[in-house]
C-alpha cells in the first residue's frame, strides 16, 4: 500500500481537499511552487488540449486550483466532473501530498528559487487580502500588518529562514523539498519535470515535448499560433481574459510583472549569492541543483 499523502495547509490552501477526488483517464495535474510558472504551464496545457489560441473560457475556469479554499470543495468537484474536455488541475502541493493516480500525468515546473522568491515578494503587493479573507473565512486582523521590509532584506531573511515545508511551503526549504521529491520521481512514466528557463529558451521545443508526453497530436499548421499565445507578451496582453474577473488580484496585468530571469541575482552581492548556494546545498541533492541553477542569470523572455 502506498503511504497516505502528506497534508499541507496554509491560511488559504489545504491539500486534504484532494481526498476523494475522482480521477479520469488523461487528467493533467500541474504541481508547482508559487510563482514558478504555474499559470504559464496551465496556459501551455490548455492550448495543447484545445489546439486553439482562443480558449473557450478564462484559464482559471478551465484549470481550477483544487487546493485553494476560496471555492467550496464539493462545488469545485462538481465543476470538474462537468468538464467534457481533458481536465487540467492546478496545485501548489508537492507530489507527496497528492494522490498519485496512474490515469493522470503530473507536471512539476522548477524555477530558480531566488527568482521565484522575488516574484513572490512583488505578488504579495498585488493580492486583495481582505477579499481573500472573506472567501476563505479567515477573520479580519485586529491590527494592521507591519510594513514590509525592502526586497533585499526580505530576500536575505527568506534564504535563511529556519522552517519546514509543512510550516511554510513557499519558504526555501519548501521549494527545495517540492523539487527534491519530484526529482526523485522523474523516472516514473506519469511524472514530467519542466524547467522555467528551458521553457524560456525554447518554448516551441518544450511545448512539443509536453505534447508528446501528454499524447497530444497538434496539426503542423496550428503550432505557430499556439506558441505565440503562450509567450509572455501575449499572455500579459490578454491578462484579464486569462485570469478572469473573479480573481483576488488587484491587477491582472500586474500578475505578469517582468518577464525576465535574474531578478534574484540583481538583488544580492557575490557574498550573499554564495551564502544562498551554501544554504541550497544543505536542502537539495547536487544533481538537482546543477539542473535547477543552470543558465539562471541569462536574461530571457518568459511567462511568470
Amino acid at each position: 500500500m502506498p503511504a497516505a499523502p502528506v497534508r499541507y495547509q496554509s491560511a488559504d490552501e489545504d491539500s486534504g481537499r484532494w481526498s476523494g477526488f475522482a480521477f479520469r483517464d488523461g487528467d493533467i495535474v500541474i504541481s508547482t511552487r508559487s510563482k514558478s510558472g504555474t499559470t504559464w504551464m496551465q496556459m501551455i496545457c490548455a492550448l495543447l488540449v484545445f489546439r486553439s489560441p482562443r480558449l473557450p473560457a478564462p484559464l482559471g475556469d478551465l484549470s481550477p486550483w483544487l487546493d485553494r479554499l476560496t471555492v467550496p470543495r464539493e462545488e469545485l468537484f462538481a465543476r470538474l466532473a462537468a468538464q467534457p474536455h481533458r481536465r487540467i488541475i492546478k496545485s501548489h502541493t508537492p507530489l507527496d501530498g497528492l494522490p498519485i493516480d496512474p490515469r493522470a500525468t503530473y507536471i512539476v515546473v522548477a524555477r530558480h528559487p531566488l527568482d521565484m522568491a522575488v516574484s513572490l515578494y512583488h505578488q504579495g503587493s498585488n493580492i486583495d487580502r481582505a477579499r481573500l479573507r472573506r472567501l476563505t473565512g479567515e477573520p479580519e486582523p485586529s491590527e494592521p500588518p507591519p510594513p514590509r521590509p525592502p526586497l533585499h532584506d526580505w530576500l536575505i531573511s527568506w534564504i535563511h529562514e529556519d522552517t519546514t515545508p509543512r510550516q511554510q511551503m513557499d519558504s526555501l526549504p519548501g521549494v527545495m523539498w517540492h523539487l527534491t521529491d519530484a526529482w526523485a520521481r522523474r523516472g516514473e512514466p506519469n511524472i514530467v519535470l519542466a524547467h522555467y528557463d528551458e521553457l524560456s529558451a525554447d518554448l516551441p521545443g518544450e511545448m512539443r515535448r509536453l505534447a508528446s508526453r501528454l499524447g497530444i497530436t497538434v496539426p503542423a499548421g496550428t503550432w505557430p499560433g499556439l506558441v505565440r499565445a503562450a509567450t509572455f507578451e501575449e499572455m500579459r496582453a490578454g491578462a484579464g481574459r486569462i485570469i478572469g474577473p473573479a480573481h483576488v488580484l488587484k491587477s491582472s496585468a500586474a500578475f505578469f510583472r517582468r518577464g525576465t530571469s535574474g531578478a534574484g541575482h540583481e538583488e544580492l552581492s557575490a557574498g550573499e549569492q554564495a551564502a544562498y548556494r551554501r544554504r541550497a546545498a544543505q536542502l537539495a541533492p547536487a544533481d538537482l541543483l546543477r539542473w535547477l541553477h543552470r543558465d539562471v542569470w541569462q536574461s530571457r523572455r518568459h511567462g511568470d
Side-chain angles (χ1 to χ4, degrees):
M1 289 287 293
V6 174
R7 190 171 186 180
Y8 292 91
Q9 293 177 279
S10 68
D12 61 326
E13 296 175 69
D14 182 1
S15 67
R17 284 163 58 97
W18 282 90
S19 178
F21 178 68
F23 284 90
R24 295 198 308 227
D25 284 337
D27 280 344
I28 302 166
V29 178
I30 297 170
S31 162
T32 66
R33 282 275 33 87
S34 305
K35 307 308 294 178
S36 292
T38 316
T39 304
W40 196 15
M41 184 54 68
Q42 288 175 279
M43 185 65 169
I44 290 169
C45 289
L47 291 167
L48 294 175
V49 165
F50 290 99
R51 300 174 181 84
S52 170
R54 299 194 63 82
L55 301 180
L59 188 60
D61 294 341
L62 298 173
S63 175
W65 183 355
L66 197 151
D67 316 305
R68 203 171 207 191
L69 300 171
T70 52
V71 177
R73 175 176 172 272
E74 296 308 318
E75 178 184 332
L76 188 58
F77 277 23
R79 289 185 193 175
L80 283 164
Q83 287 186 343
H85 55 80
R86 189 170 179 180
R87 301 184 301 186
I88 307 160
I89 306 156
K90 169 183 173 177
S91 176
H92 283 323
T93 299
L95 294 181
D96 70 336
L98 298 175
I100 303 298
D101 191 287
R103 293 168 293 181
T105 299
Y106 298 77
I107 303 175
V108 179
V109 185
R111 185 182 188 185
H112 192 287
L114 293 179
D115 282 343
M116 167 255 162
V118 170
S119 189
L120 186 69
Y121 176 90
H122 289 292
Q123 174 77 345
S125 302
N126 193 35
I127 295 175
D128 185 336
R129 301 288 179 182
R131 179 161 192 219
L132 183 58
R133 286 191 292 269
R134 289 195 298 271
L135 290 172
T136 59
E138 283 287 302
E140 289 296 314
S142 58
E143 298 180 356
R148 299 179 81 197
L151 172 58
H152 174 270
D153 297 349
W154 181 90
L155 187 58
I156 294 296
S157 176
W158 182 85
I159 290 169
H160 297 288
E161 183 180 9
D162 184 15
T163 187
T164 69
R166 291 183 70 176
Q167 291 172 319
Q168 293 288 341
M169 287 186 285
D170 284 330
S171 64
L172 183 56
V175 173
M176 290 305 190
W177 170 247
H178 196 135
L179 297 179
T180 296
D181 181 48
W183 185 254
R185 302 171 189 253
R186 67 191 185 280
E188 298 177 19
N190 63 336
I191 306 296
V192 180
L193 268 64
H195 196 300
Y196 198 80
D197 285 342
E198 290 175 353
L199 289 164
S200 302
D202 183 13
L203 182 58
E206 285 295 288
M207 287 179 67
R208 288 178 184 273
R209 181 178 75 90
L210 287 164
S212 176
R213 290 296 302 269
L214 295 171
I216 295 173
T217 301
V218 176
T222 304
W223 274 112
L226 299 188
V227 173
R228 184 166 54 251
T231 62
F232 176 82
E233 290 79 8
E234 287 294 314
M235 291 183 67
R236 188 173 192 180
R241 183 178 68 255
I242 292 169
I243 301 298
H247 209 276
V248 297
L249 300 178
K250 297 175 184 176
S251 166
S252 296
F255 181 76
F256 301 95
R257 185 184 64 88
R258 170 170 158 162
T260 55
S261 290
H265 173 72
E266 294 165 5
E267 287 296 322
L268 302 180
S269 69
E272 290 164 343
Q273 293 173 40
Y276 159 75
R277 288 184 175 270
R278 288 193 296 271
R279 174 77 166 135
Q282 298 170 352
L283 298 171
D287 54 349
L288 166 59
L289 293 177
R290 284 192 294 271
W291 177 75
L292 178 62
H293 290 154
R294 61 177 167 180
D295 294 334
V296 65
W297 307 129
Q298 294 185 22
S299 179
R300 298 179 180 137
R301 304 300 295 176
H302 52 54
D304 199 358

